[in-house]
């Protein structure tokens, strides 16, 4: 059972953790360290000067929020590696539910965590490799623990924070310890039971499942009933012309 972690450890078996004061981005730092990584390593920074979000957006990081990247070598194809975003979302849901009532939390495809309807956490995946398997995978995670970022423009979901939603006070390092534990459990589940079980867990926490939503792909807006995610992690909408599997989009609720 997941319990509150402390930044003093222990870290999950086989994992390492590095805590830095200031970096440009923990994603960039992970890529710099990639050649020397011999075991899964969490890289946390108290401050980031050039944090990035999905689709080239900036990520605003007031002090007291979590900035961390897990880098490891998953021995997976790029498509298999990409499914790790669902593991990360499940782990975030579990970790956050230690500090705030779980009925306020929901997962939004592809990889956001909502708290009282606002975005409390985001996930960014990056990988490198030219063969059939990725050489390394980085899972970047930002969690608004203490502060709600200001100046976020054009977001489909307004940001919120654990503090704003009445959650417990927790330091980034203590939260990371809880999250690291939850993520290691997800990896073990993937190895033992396969992606279907990860997907089922994700779907059980999904926002607006069975309801009408809109996916903005960049080329078109697709509106339909949110039916499922498929075995590749695509969003499945039932539209007026039949089921559509959507690999990448921003989601809007009606
Ligand atoms: O757009 C999103 O929702 C993803 C945001 C990911 C932000 C995190 S903070 C830690 C890591 N370092 C970065 O530069 N980005 C990710």
């Amino acid at each position: 059972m997941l319990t509150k972690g402390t930044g003093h450890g222990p870290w999950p078996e086989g994992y390492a953790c590095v805590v830095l004061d200031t970096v440009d981005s923990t994603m960039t730092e992970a890529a710099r360290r990639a050649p020397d990584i011999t075991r899964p390593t969490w890289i946390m920074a108290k401050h980031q000067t050039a944090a990035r979000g999905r689709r080239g957006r900036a990520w605003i990081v007031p002090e007291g929020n979590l900035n961390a990247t897990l880098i490891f070598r998953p021995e997976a194809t790029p498509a298999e590696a990409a499914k790790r975003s669902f593991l990360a979302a499940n782990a975030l849901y579990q970790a956050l539910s230690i500090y705030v009532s779980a009925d306020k939390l929901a997962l939004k495809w592809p990889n956001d965590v909502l708290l009282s309807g606002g975005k409390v956490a985001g996930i960014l995946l990056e990988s490198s490799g030219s063969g059939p398997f990725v050489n390394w995978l980085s899972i970047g995670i930002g969690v608004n623990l203490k502060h709600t970022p200001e100046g976020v423009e054009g977001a489909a979901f307004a940001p919120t924070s654990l503090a704003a939603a009445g959650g417990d006070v927790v330091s980034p390092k203590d939260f990371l310890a809880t999250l690291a534990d939850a993520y290691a459990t997800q990896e073990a589940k993937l190895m033992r039971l396969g992606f279907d079980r990860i997907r089922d867990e994700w779907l059980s926490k999904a926002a607006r499942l069975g309801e009408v939503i809109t996916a903005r792909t960049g080329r078109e807006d697709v509106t339909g009933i949110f039916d499922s995610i498929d075995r590749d992690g695509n969003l499945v909408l039932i539209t007026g012309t039949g089921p559509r599997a959507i690999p990448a989009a921003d989601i809007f609720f009606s």
Side-chain angles (χ1 to χ4, degrees), residues 2 87-98 100-107 113-114 179 201 204-206:
L2 190 66
L87 281 70
N90 286 344
L92 270 169
Y93 184 101
Q94 283 176 357
L96 281 163
S97 62
I98 299 273
V100 72
S101 169
D103 58 18
K104 293 184 177 177
L105 293 164
L107 301 179
V113 185
L114 302 180
L179 177 64
E201 184 176 335
S204 73
K205 324 279 188 216

Side-chain angles (χ1 to χ4, degrees), residues 68-88:
T69 296
L70 172 65
I71 181 165
F72 64 116
R73 304 186 192 283
E75 292 184 17
T77 62
E80 292 298 320
K83 293 179 186 171
R84 261 43 182 221
S85 69
F86 296 98
L87 281 70

Side-chain angles (χ1 to χ4, degrees), residues 127-150:
S127 63
S128 158
S130 51
F133 290 162
V134 299
N135 182 18
W136 52 262
L137 172 72
S138 280
I139 305 173
I141 295 179
V143 187
N144 303 329
L145 296 174
K146 192 172 177 188
H147 296 290
T148 303
E150 289 175 11

Side-chain angles (χ1 to χ4, degrees), residues 18-106:
V18 177
V19 179
L20 304 168
D21 192 43
T22 304
V23 291
D24 41 7
S25 154
T26 55
M27 304 306 283
T28 311
E29 180 66 19
R32 279 192 289 264
R33 290 175 180 242
D36 302 322
I37 291 291
T38 54
R39 57 181 172 149
T41 302
W42 283 98
I43 299 170
M44 184 193 127
K46 293 181 187 152
H47 310 273
Q48 292 183 110
T49 55
R52 52 184 182 266
R54 290 176 61 233
R55 297 176 170 243
R57 297 177 187 124
W59 180 258
I60 299 172
V61 282
E63 192 170 350
N65 290 352
L66 175 74
N67 316 299
T69 296
L70 172 65
I71 181 165
F72 64 116
R73 304 186 192 283
E75 292 184 17
T77 62
E80 292 298 320
K83 293 179 186 171
R84 261 43 182 221
S85 69
F86 296 98
L87 281 70
N90 286 344
L92 270 169
Y93 184 101
Q94 283 176 357
L96 281 163
S97 62
I98 299 273
Y99 303 98
V100 72
S101 169
D103 58 18
K104 293 184 177 177
L105 293 164

